[in-house]
């Protein structure tokens, strides 16, 4: 690739990948690498002249501890702009001659920051102006330590009541640092601030566009695969679907899609997937009904991590079996050498699988952490460096139907992580029907202000089965049936999310239909938790 690029050094923050996403929203290419790369590596990375700036991420660590990572010194010697965010600001201060201490008062959550000094980074960017004429920013803070003394050459750029040095800048060297997190959506002007840095201060070209990325991705796939064959696990979800379309564009009949029905799919999922890919895209798709195999291994298992690993393991077994059948079957097929997956950035970061290996693991994903080391197949992951909205843009550019591309995400383990506790066929059957009703009504109800359906206004919506029973009454009789929870969130990046404020009329209709139409469920609840502190999925 010949794109200008921004280097993001990851110190282990859970939201480091959001920095990359915000940079790419400005149509500038960015890459995340571990913070402990060597000085020589940094110089070599910048040697081609495409590096236009460096961003130092946040971290849960304290910069004054001897064992804590610091930025490679070469970063400050390249002659390119540098932006430090939260811990990135603290390590910049510490390494360049300032002072960082543990704060007496921590800041976690909303804060009002006063912009000072009229630096290029914040010039003209504000949420409101005080009667005294001070520009103010509504931001998201998450720190305990703070800079108490700026390095030589720096001037004050921002402050709060409890954090007098909330931003600093050395504009001669184009070094900028902010204590707040510009990458999260809670910082209202965060996107504008990061765009100002990468396009204004770094002067990076805005040439990272998905429709142009297709040619690069196709070339990369052909180079990696050569004349070998690829087997792909097709779930019908957005990620695997776009991966299949992209790989099919690159290598055609060298790709064989394996659609595995693990007994944990949504209602009529199998029929839809086969009609779309085998019927419309004319791809080679093998339909495997492995529901008994998966449900059998999940019997008696209630731990979420164990369930994910079992499902990931069984997927591998199915792939191995199908690859062996293809090879044995002849018909000109040599057998698969590559296993393709729709892995995307959020999968990697939430599995603690970022390149730094410093982030705290929240949960594993079957298509990242569930694969054994000795798979027998090489991995092909053409979407691994893309975020969800980039994947959707790529899908549309590839010619996939928008109704498929903009379908809500569905986890690889399927209903296995939407059934709390042990997975049983009975539970899956009840959940399938309840979830289908919820999705139907989300599509039916429209918002009066926008005219859009609530399905389009939510980023992810689904139903969760709770393995508990509650007392109810229907007619003149007592019931003692199961409970489900409805979950709907709105988000732009899936790293943070707010619960959707669905209309009461919609929730009432969904609840009434589920209780009346799905025998075995007599209570419906609605989840009003945001991420963080909750995750989007329940398991």
């Amino acid at each position: 690739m010949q794109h200008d690029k921004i280097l993001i050094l990851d110190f282990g923050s859970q939201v480091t990948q959001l920095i990359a996403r915000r940079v790419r929203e400005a149509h500038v290419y960015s890459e995340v690498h571990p913070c402990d790369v060597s000085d020589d590596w940094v110089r070599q990375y910048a040697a081609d002249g495409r590096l236009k700036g460096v961003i130092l991420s946040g971290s849960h660590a304290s910069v004054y501890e001897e064992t804590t990572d610091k930025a490679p010194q070469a970063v400050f010697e390249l002659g390119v702009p540098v932006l430090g965010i939260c811990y990135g600001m603290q390590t910049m201060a510490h390494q360049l001659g300032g002072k960082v201490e543990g704060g007496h008062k921590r800041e976690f959550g909303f804060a009002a920051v006063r912009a000072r000094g009229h630096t290029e980074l914040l010039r003209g960017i504000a949420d409101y102006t005080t009667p005294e004429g001070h520009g103010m920013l509504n931001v998201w803070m998450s720190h305990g330590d703070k800079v108490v003394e700026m390095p030589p050459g720096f001037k004050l750029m921002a402050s709060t009541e409890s954090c007098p040095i909330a931003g600093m800048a050395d504009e001669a060297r184009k070094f900028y640092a902010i204590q707040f997190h510009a990458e999260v959506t809670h910082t209202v002007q965060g996107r504008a601030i990061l765009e100002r840095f990468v396009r204004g201060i770094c002067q990076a070209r805005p040439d990272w566009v998905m429709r142009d990325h297709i040619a690069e991705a196709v070339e990369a796939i052909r180079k990696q695969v050569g004349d070998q064959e690829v087997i792909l696990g097709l779930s019908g979800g957005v990620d695997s679907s776009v991966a299949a379309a992209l790989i099919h564009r690159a290598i055609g009949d060298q790709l064989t899609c394996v659609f595995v029905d693990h007994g944990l799919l949504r209602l009529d999922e199998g029929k839809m997937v086969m009609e779309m890919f085998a019927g419309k895209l004319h791809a080679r798709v093998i339909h495997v009904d492995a529901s008994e195999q998966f449900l059998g291994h999940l019997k008696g298992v209630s731990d979420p991590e164990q369930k994910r690993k079992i499902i990931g393991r069984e997927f591998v077994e199915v792939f191995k079996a199908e690859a062996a059948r293809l090879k044995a079957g002849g018909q000109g097929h040599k057998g698969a050498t590559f296993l393709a997956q729709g892995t995307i950035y959020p999968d990697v970061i939430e599995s603690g699988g970022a390149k730094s290996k410093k982030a705290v693991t929240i949960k594993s994903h079957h298509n990242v952490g569930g694969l054994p080391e000795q798979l027998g197949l090489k991995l092909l992951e053409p979407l691994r460096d893309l975020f969800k909205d980039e994947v959707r843009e790529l899908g549309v550019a590839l010619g996939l139907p928008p109704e498929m591309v903009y379908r809500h995400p569905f986890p690889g383990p399927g209903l296995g992580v939407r059934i709390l506790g042990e997975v049983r066929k009975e539970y899956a059957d009840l959940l399938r029907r309840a979830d289908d009703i919820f999705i139907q009504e989300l599509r039916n109800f429209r918002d009066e202000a926008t005219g859009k359906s609530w399905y389009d206004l939510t980023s992810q919506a689904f139903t969760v089965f709770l393995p508990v029973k509650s007392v109810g009454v229907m007619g003149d009789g007592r019931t003692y049936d199961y409970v489900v929870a409805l979950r709907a969130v709105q988000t732009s990046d899936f790293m943070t999310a707010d619960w959707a404020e669905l209309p009461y009329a919609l929730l009432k209709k969904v609840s009434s239909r589920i209780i009346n139409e799905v025998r075995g469920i007599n209570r419906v609840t609605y989840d009003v938790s945001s991420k963080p502190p909750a995750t989007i999925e329940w398991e």
Side-chain angles (χ1 to χ4, degrees):
M1 293 190 298
Q2 296 303 312
H3 303 285
D4 286 350
K5 59 187 179 183
I6 299 295
L7 170 62
I8 300 166
L9 292 180
D10 180 19
F11 288 87
S13 169
Q14 290 289 346
V15 292
T16 295
Q17 301 298 338
L18 279 187
I19 304 173
R21 184 65 207 104
R22 298 293 171 251
V23 172
R24 292 188 192 181
E25 284 174 353
H27 298 296
V28 175
Y29 182 69
S30 60
E31 289 185 359
V32 177
H33 289 275
C35 63
D36 54 3
V37 293
S38 67
D39 286 331
D40 287 342
W41 184 95
V42 171
R43 295 189 188 99
Q44 184 62 35
Y45 188 81
D48 61 5
R50 295 191 295 117
L51 180 64
K52 300 301 179 182
V54 179
I55 300 177
L56 310 177
S57 85
S59 172
H60 56 276
S62 292
V63 73
Y64 44 76
E65 295 175 357
E66 290 186 9
T67 57
T68 302
D69 289 304
K70 309 296 187 295
Q73 194 60 33
V75 164
F76 304 111
E77 301 168 354
L78 293 173
V80 301
V82 182
L83 172 64
I85 297 177
C86 194
Y87 180 91
M89 170 175 169
Q90 295 166 13
T91 197
M92 181 186 290
H94 182 77
Q95 291 180 239
L96 297 181
K99 187 176 181 181
V100 179
E101 292 182 352
H104 298 294
K105 181 180 179 182
R106 296 185 175 188
E107 282 188 305
F108 291 97
F110 170 80
V113 168
R114 175 182 167 184
R116 297 172 178 267
H118 305 291
T119 62
E120 184 59 29
L121 184 67
L122 299 181
R123 189 186 310 277
I125 298 177
D127 288 304
Y128 63 96
T129 303
T130 67
E132 295 79 21
H134 304 313
M136 303 295 293
L137 294 167
N138 293 326
V139 305
W140 190 260
M141 291 280 196
S142 181
H143 70 102
D145 300 340
K146 61 184 179 182
V147 176
V148 295
E149 184 178 317
M150 292 183 289
F154 279 77
K155 67 178 180 179
L156 186 64
M157 183 169 65
S159 64
T160 70
E161 289 186 7
S162 60
C163 186
I165 305 176
M168 62 183 191
D170 179 343
E171 295 206 279
R173 290 184 287 180
K174 295 187 178 179
F175 293 167
Y176 298 85
I178 51 177
Q179 187 57 65
F180 57 89
H181 286 271
E183 67 273 31
V184 302
T185 55
H186 301 78
T187 296
V188 180
Q189 299 296 332
R191 182 179 299 185
I193 293 169
L194 288 171
E195 183 169 336
R196 171 71 57 80
F197 178 71
V198 300
R199 290 178 59 172
I201 295 170
C202 297
Q203 293 290 299
R205 292 175 298 171
D207 60 359
W208 176 249
V209 182
M210 283 300 99
R211 65 175 179 272
D212 300 330
H213 179 62
I214 293 175
E216 295 175 353
V218 164
E219 182 181 352
I221 292 167
R222 289 173 178 168
K223 183 177 180 180
Q224 183 178 357
V225 173
D227 62 353
Q228 302 299 306
E229 296 195 1
V230 178
I231 185 172
L232 178 144
L234 183 61
S235 69
V238 175
D239 304 332
S240 69
S241 298
V242 174
L246 179 60
I247 296 169
H248 189 259
R249 170 79 65 93
I251 61 174
D253 288 342
Q254 290 170 247
L255 170 68
T256 299
C257 298
V258 177
F259 171 56
V260 180
D261 184 349
H262 49 26
L264 299 168
L265 299 171
R266 289 169 287 195
L267 194 65
D268 296 328
E269 188 101 29
K271 180 181 178 182
M272 183 211 69
V273 169
M274 293 304 293
E275 286 179 351
M276 182 150 317
F277 288 91
K280 295 181 180 179
L281 294 183
H282 306 294
R284 295 187 71 247
V285 183
I286 298 172
H287 188 178
V288 181
D289 184 355
S291 55
E292 290 188 6
Q293 175 181 338
F294 279 84
L295 292 172
H297 284 285
L298 288 168
K299 186 176 182 180
V301 178
S302 60
D303 179 73
E305 282 296 286
Q306 193 176 354
K307 288 194 293 185
R308 286 177 178 274
K309 285 180 169 56
I310 288 171
I311 292 170
R313 182 192 71 207
E314 294 309 309
F315 264 111
V316 172
E317 294 304 314
V318 171
F319 290 149
K320 282 184 176 179
E322 291 307 317
R325 288 192 187 95
L326 281 174
K327 190 172 183 178
Q331 299 178 344
H333 293 286
K334 297 175 292 185
T337 303
F338 288 89
L339 169 65
Q341 293 189 150
T343 308
I344 64 173
Y345 250 162
D347 295 335
V348 177
I349 189 64
E350 287 205 349
S351 298
K355 294 176 181 178
S356 69
K357 302 296 181 185
K358 298 178 185 299
V360 177
T361 298
I362 300 300
K363 61 184 178 181
S364 68
H365 289 255
H366 86 280
N367 59 340
V368 178
L371 294 174
E373 293 183 4
Q374 300 302 320
L375 180 63
L377 297 173
K378 291 182 278 188
L379 281 178
L380 174 63
E381 298 175 314
L383 309 180
R384 186 180 178 87
D385 293 327
L386 301 184
F387 291 89
K388 180 66 71 172
D389 52 342
E390 289 179 319
V391 172
R392 295 187 197 279
E393 290 175 23
L394 186 65
V396 171
L398 284 165
L400 294 177
E403 60 269 20
M404 182 197 74
V405 173
Y406 286 95
R407 196 178 185 205
H408 288 183
F410 188 60
L415 302 183
V417 291
R418 292 179 178 175
I419 298 171
L420 301 196
E422 182 183 6
V423 177
R424 298 181 185 178
K425 184 178 184 302
E426 170 199 358
Y427 298 167
D429 289 340
L430 290 172
L431 179 55
R432 256 187 283 273
R433 294 166 59 200
D435 185 70
D436 186 59
I437 290 171
F438 186 28
I439 299 304
Q440 284 180 31
E441 295 303 334
L442 283 170
R443 292 187 184 279
N444 291 339
F445 270 73
R446 295 193 171 272
D447 176 58
E448 293 182 2
T450 64
K452 293 183 178 180
S453 75
W454 275 99
Y455 184 85
D456 292 331
L457 290 173
T458 53
S459 308
Q460 191 166 353
F462 54 91
T463 308
V464 178
F465 183 88
L466 309 182
V468 295
K469 288 188 173 183
S470 70
V471 174
V473 57
M474 296 187 74
D476 295 324
R478 174 186 184 273
T479 62
Y480 189 56
D481 290 325
Y482 292 108
V483 181
V484 294
L486 308 178
R487 178 74 158 144
V489 299
Q490 294 172 316
T491 177
S492 61
D493 48 47
F494 288 86
M495 297 297 291
T496 61
D498 291 319
W499 62 275
E501 297 184 29
L502 300 180
Y504 288 145
L506 168 55
L507 292 172
K508 183 177 181 180
K509 180 72 176 294
V510 173
S511 176
S512 177
R513 282 196 60 192
I514 289 175
I515 292 171
N516 281 285
E517 297 177 29
V518 185
R519 185 179 295 273
I521 296 174
N522 71 353
R523 192 175 297 270
V524 176
T525 65
Y526 187 52
D527 182 350
V528 293
S529 309
S530 292
K531 175 187 180 181
T535 54
I536 294 177
E537 297 285 349
W538 277 42
E539 288 192 340

